[in-house]
Amino acid sequence: MSLNPEIAARLKRNQDGLVCAVAQQRGTGEVLMVAWMNDEALERTLTTRRGTYYSRSRRRLWVKGETSGHTQRVHEVRLDCDGDTVLLVVDQVGAACHTGDHTCFDADLLLADEPDAADQLAVAPKPDGAPTPADA
């Protein structure tokens, strides 16, 4: 099988033939992870309802959870207005991040609305000894 030509024609791929893919938790809207898809990964995601991505470092497709068991059941796939990003609305089982965190955005809070949250910013010291936000 190949990607529906009408869908393929709407995609704006980068120089490597990939589009950005954002996985979002169904029901909460929480952003879980960002990855890349080629046409084959998108086609497989659409037909199997399993989050399937393209690994730039390994240069091959991978299915979320194929080794970890932390799977994604895909409920919706949306194309953004520019055609360069797809949004997958998923039910995530287990951690979404390869580090074991629930999302790939759990580790580093760079800015927060709450004044107390700013005290908990986990920013590494700069090599030149400049103060970090926690030192200010």
Side-chain angles (χ1 to χ4, degrees):
M1 279 185 148
S2 62
L3 186 61
N4 178 314
E6 291 178 11
I7 295 171
R10 296 175 60 200
L11 295 176
K12 291 184 185 167
R13 300 161 193 83
N14 68 11
Q15 65 276 9
D16 298 317
L18 306 174
V19 295
C20 180
V22 177
Q24 180 183 51
Q25 178 63 50
R26 184 173 72 132
T28 68
E30 182 176 33
V31 176
L32 299 170
M33 58 178 270
V34 176
W36 294 96
M37 288 183 156
N38 61 10
D39 286 11
E40 185 179 359
L42 180 55
E43 188 274 329
R44 287 189 186 187
T45 298
L46 292 171
T47 57
T48 67
R49 293 188 172 262
R50 296 173 64 202
T52 305
Y53 304 97
Y54 181 80
S55 170
R56 295 176 297 167
S57 60
R58 294 181 304 232
R59 296 189 173 151
R60 69 171 185 87
L61 296 182
W62 60 279
V63 178
K64 183 68 179 157
E66 68 187 344
T67 58
S68 67
H70 300 162
T71 60
Q72 292 177 343
R73 167 86 168 126
V74 180
H75 291 273
E76 294 179 16
V77 178
R78 297 173 178 251
L79 183 60
D80 82 330
C81 58
D82 294 322
D84 61 1
T85 304
V86 293
L87 174 68
L88 283 70
V89 179
V90 305
D91 280 331
Q92 177 70 45
V93 175
C97 188
H98 72 281
T99 65
D101 285 339
H102 177 66
T103 81
C104 293
F105 300 96
D106 284 348
D108 291 315
L109 177 64
L110 302 180
L111 178 68
D113 286 335
E114 303 81 32
D116 293 338
D119 294 336
Q120 299 185 22
L121 293 176
V123 178
K126 295 182 181 181
D128 65 357
T132 65
D135 296 328

